[in-house]
Amino acid sequence: MELSSAKKTQLLNYKSISYTLYAVILVLAAAFPILAGQYYARYVIVMFITIIISIGYNISSGYCGLVHFASAPMYAAGAYGAAVMMVRFDMPFIVGLLFGILAACFVSLFVSIPAFRVSGHYLALISLGLVEIVQEVLVEWKGVTAGPAGMYLPNVSFLGSPLTWMGQYYFIFAVMLLSFIIQRSIVKSYLGRAFRSIKNDAVAATSAGINVRLFMFIAILISGIFAGTAGALYAGYSGYISPDTFGFDYTVYILLVVVIGGSGTLAGPLVGTLIITVLPEFFNASPDIKLFFYGLLLIVITISMPDGISGKLKKYLRAYSYERIPDSIEIKKYVALADCGLEENQGADESEDIMELNNLTKYFGGLAAVSNLNLKIKTGSIYSLIGPNGAGKSTTVNMITGMDRASTGEVIFRNQTLNLIEPYLISGLGIARTFQHVRLFGKMTVLENIMVGKHLAFRYGILGTLFRTPKMRYQETLNKEKALAYLDTIGLLDKANEVASSLSYGQQKLLDLARALAMEPKLLLLDEPCAGLNEAEINYFANLIKRIRNSGITILLIEHHMKLVMDISDRIIVLEYGKKIAEGNPKEIQENSAVREAYLGTAVAKYA
């Protein structure tokens, strides 16, 4: 796929502008204390610290979607943790910094643990309680924190030598740059994709094998690490801390920085800090006008730029730039189609049962959505589950995948009972699914959606993420090529860099299927994949489903399009009011009088 000269020039211009802008900011920041002097340099140091804590909040809230007000309590824990080590125990600053980070991580537990059960505004309310608790501790625990009087700290030393104001500037500047590098490394890894998928759709993320609770915990823990680092740096830089610095106002301030700068963007903390810190200085003579400006800025940015200033700029650049995608020939140089699971595979033993449902029952209140369902699914076959709306088809799929827990009965997959296994672990055992109502990660690209489907294939861990080890780079490259191969197989390769929500409905259905296939399942559950599609799209899906079956993947299909069901199914199960009323091959189902009366009707003759 060759770029036109215009596209090449356009892309080059945008890259040149971006790189030039970053280089200018870096040079100005490095030269600033020399050019501006001590007074303004100290002002910029505070901005650096704000950027550091905002990066942490951006990861937990902007990328993972966990809105909370715990930044100030974690910031306070970092500051006081460092101060206690330096003042009470006469420890060097580095020890204080490490202890401050540890203290902030401990405080983060009071947010991450409740996040296992609540989210949204409930999590925000819990974190508000944490703000008040930490404030009370700082004020009342006078033997440790010195209470309202605050704590004075000794001069900061590094490697045995006291740091001058310029030394402090460059030290904090270096930590801020490192924070940006770490943020980028996280966002560009499986960890960052997991965070973003949770923010987009936690249910779909779980179905892709992501342990949502664990990754929410990690996101808030990372936020605590950054907040603790910022707090310790602030304590060492300022030489004095008091409870007033870490109140509710500050946590709102950090929220404003991230929202206005661009929640869920790499540059958001930097842009937000510049705007929120610099512009209001013009109103210092009138504090009331300054508060009015904050409120007005928040309203205007939220309405006109929901993704913040950086998010708006990112959309603009995406609309006018071009990201090159390898064509199918290039992909096949690295990844064989066999890696996509769609090559002919005659090795499956069709005499084996891959799954058994034994007396499976699900009650919602007093209503039995599924009642005593017994079913055996043989390897390498297409089983179709049909019945009128409300018959219990989707509930059955939800029980298989662990989204709903069976009231009684059991689900056995490859000789393993699934009833008490977490949904994300079930995905890892070799079961993948699509959804009746498409659940994509709408704000992520098409390629990123497939990469989330490959989540379980990544094994490089947190150290590989931070240091971008050869193992990490290899796995990212290999799985990206596999993801592109899946897109090539289903005909969406040219859409790889487009946002998933921009696809047509039929293309979104294809992407949902491709993401499930990327998990390399043994059993694929398709919940009405052809609902809302036209005849041409249905025929395309029919051929694709046959290819999947011929590759050795077993399929359980829910579908209302009877011609499709009769054409591709090896066996059909009919449900009515949660009970199985018939099972057999397509011919037997068409001739079954009970099925005709309950579901198919006289129109069944045209499928024969």
Side-chain angles (χ1 to χ4, degrees):
M1 185 183 296
E2 290 297 324
L3 292 174
S4 66
S5 298
K7 285 288 187 182
K8 285 180 179 178
T9 303
Q10 187 181 56
L11 182 60
L12 179 61
N13 287 340
Y14 282 124
K15 283 188 175 181
S16 299
I17 291 171
S18 299
Y19 293 153
T20 301
L21 184 60
Y22 282 127
V24 169
I25 293 174
L26 188 63
V27 170
L28 285 177
F32 191 81
I34 301 172
L35 299 174
Q38 182 176 353
Y39 176 80
Y40 290 105
R42 289 186 174 277
Y43 187 76
V44 174
I45 287 174
V46 176
M47 292 176 62
F48 289 161
I49 293 172
T50 301
I51 290 171
I52 293 169
I53 189 173
S54 298
I55 287 174
Y57 185 77
N58 190 39
I59 289 172
S60 63
S61 180
Y63 284 103
C64 200
L66 299 171
V67 179
H68 62 83
F69 296 103
S71 295
M74 292 187 290
Y75 185 49
Y80 273 90
V84 167
M85 284 291 104
M86 295 173 68
V87 174
R88 309 293 185 197
F89 298 97
D90 196 27
M91 293 291 179
F93 173 71
I94 292 300
V95 175
L97 173 63
L98 295 176
F99 186 79
I101 293 172
L102 184 63
C105 289
F106 175 75
V107 171
S108 75
L109 294 178
F110 292 92
V111 181
S112 58
I113 292 176
F116 291 170
R117 291 187 172 273
V118 299
S119 59
H121 57 280
Y122 295 107
L123 181 62
L125 289 173
I126 289 173
S127 64
L128 279 176
L130 182 63
V131 174
E132 294 303 317
I133 290 172
V134 169
Q135 277 290 301
E136 286 298 311
V137 170
L138 296 181
V139 171
E140 300 297 334
W141 200 9
K142 297 179 182 178
V144 175
T145 67
M151 297 180 70
Y152 288 90
L153 283 76
N155 292 331
V156 173
S157 297
F158 185 69
L159 298 178
S161 301
L163 283 179
T164 64
W165 68 267
M166 189 172 290
Q168 286 185 326
Y169 179 95
Y170 285 114
F171 178 73
I172 296 174
F173 177 51
V175 175
M176 190 264 302
L177 286 180
L178 179 62
S179 299
F180 262 110
I181 293 170
I182 291 173
Q183 178 187 220
R184 185 183 184 280
S185 296
I186 290 173
V187 171
K188 299 297 182 181
S189 71
Y190 82 101
L191 194 62
R193 286 191 295 271
F195 290 157
R196 295 166 65 198
S197 68
I198 291 170
K199 181 181 179 179
N200 276 250
D201 192 321
V203 173
T206 300
S207 74
I210 294 173
N211 185 343
V212 171
R213 291 181 176 181
L214 174 62
F215 279 88
M216 290 193 302
F217 173 83
I218 293 173
I220 295 176
L221 183 65
I222 291 173
S223 182
I225 291 172
F226 279 98
T229 302
L233 291 174
Y234 174 78
Y237 149 74
S238 66
Y240 171 77
I241 56 174
S242 67
D244 295 340
T245 307
F246 310 102
F248 177 70
D249 290 350
Y250 189 78
T251 204
V252 173
Y253 176 77
I254 296 301
L255 177 66
L256 285 173
V257 167
V258 174
V259 170
I260 290 173
S263 178
T265 63
L266 289 172
L270 171 62
V271 174
T273 299
L274 287 173
I275 292 173
I276 293 297
T277 304
V278 175
L279 290 184
E281 291 301 311
F282 294 100
F283 305 105
N284 275 341
S286 305
D288 292 338
I289 296 179
K290 187 174 183 178
L291 291 175
F292 173 79
F293 173 77
Y294 273 132
L296 180 62
L297 189 63
L298 180 61
I299 292 171
V300 171
I301 293 295
T302 302
I303 293 175
S304 62
M305 303 178 187
D307 296 322
I309 295 172
S310 295
K312 185 73 172 180
L313 182 61
K314 182 179 179 180
K315 286 183 178 179
Y316 176 81
L317 291 175
R318 177 173 286 174
Y320 291 95
S321 64
Y322 182 89
E323 293 182 72
R324 186 177 181 275
I325 304 168
D327 59 31
S328 58
I329 296 176
E330 290 181 22
I331 292 170
K332 292 170 189 176
K333 288 180 182 177
Y334 304 102
V335 180
L337 278 179
D339 290 327
C340 298
L342 296 185
E343 286 295 274
E344 292 286 340
N345 180 8
Q346 303 301 325
D349 186 354
E350 297 185 7
S351 65
E352 292 183 355
D353 294 328
I354 193 171
M355 172 167 282
E356 293 182 36
L357 308 181
N358 297 327
N359 297 314
L360 199 62
T361 301
K362 178 64 181 179
Y363 289 101
F364 291 104
L367 176 66
V370 177
S371 181
N372 295 316
L373 178 60
N374 291 286
L375 175 63
K376 291 184 178 181
I377 299 176
K378 293 192 177 298
T379 301
S381 303
I382 298 177
Y383 279 64
S384 290
L385 197 60
I386 68 172
N389 290 328
K393 304 182 297 296
S394 293
T395 301
T396 300
V397 169
N398 288 339
M399 284 190 287
I400 292 172
T401 57
M403 298 296 181
D404 288 331
R405 293 298 183 191
S407 301
T408 59
E410 59 182 0
V411 179
I412 300 175
F413 176 69
R414 304 176 76 186
N415 300 316
Q416 183 172 358
T417 302
L418 305 184
N419 292 53
L420 299 179
I421 298 179
E422 291 291 330
Y424 73 93
L425 293 174
I426 291 175
S427 300
L429 294 175
I431 299 177
R433 68 168 298 177
T434 64
F435 293 88
Q436 178 180 355
H437 304 290
V438 179
R439 306 190 77 137
L440 298 178
F441 309 120
K443 293 186 177 181
M444 300 173 70
T445 67
V446 170
L447 177 59
E448 287 171 335
N449 269 260
I450 306 297
M451 292 288 279
V452 172
K454 300 296 297 179
H455 175 79
L456 295 173
F458 294 100
R459 293 288 184 272
Y460 51 77
I462 189 67
L463 293 179
T465 297
L466 296 179
F467 296 104
R468 299 190 66 82
T469 60
K471 181 180 179 180
M472 180 268 188
R473 295 195 299 271
Y474 169 75
Q475 289 188 11
E476 285 288 330
T477 300
L478 177 63
N479 286 294
K480 181 179 180 180
E481 290 174 346
K482 287 185 176 182
L484 289 169
Y486 279 107
L487 291 177
D488 189 35
T489 299
I490 66 169
L492 290 180
L493 181 62
D494 61 328
K495 306 290 184 181
N497 287 326
E498 294 186 15
V499 177
S501 59
S502 69
L503 299 180
S504 69
Y505 184 70
Q507 290 171 333
Q508 289 185 24
K509 286 278 190 177
L510 280 172
L511 181 56
D512 195 16
L513 174 59
R515 186 181 63 200
L517 286 174
M519 297 173 65
E520 301 181 15
K522 302 297 181 182
L523 175 63
L524 179 61
L525 310 176
L526 304 178
D527 195 349
E528 298 192 32
C530 297
L533 304 185
N534 59 41
E535 285 300 316
E537 291 170 329
I538 290 172
N539 291 334
Y540 185 83
F541 259 93
N543 292 328
L544 194 54
I545 291 170
K546 289 177 183 177
R547 286 185 63 193
I548 295 170
R549 187 269 310 276
N550 293 339
S551 72
I553 298 175
T554 307
I555 296 172
L556 178 61
L557 170 70
I558 296 176
E559 187 53 66
H560 284 291
H561 195 283
M562 284 300 101
K563 185 177 186 305
L564 171 69
V565 170
M566 296 301 171
D567 284 346
I568 69 174
S569 300
D570 296 306
R571 201 158 183 83
I572 300 173
I573 302 94
V574 186
L575 297 183
E576 183 183 25
Y577 299 116
K579 295 182 179 180
K580 183 170 73 172
I581 63 172
E583 180 179 351
N585 61 42
K587 187 174 186 300
E588 292 170 339
I589 294 299
Q590 292 178 53
E591 294 174 350
N592 188 299
S593 58
V595 176
R596 283 172 172 269
E597 182 179 346
Y599 185 48
L600 295 179
T602 56
V604 73
K606 68 180 182 180
Y607 302 128

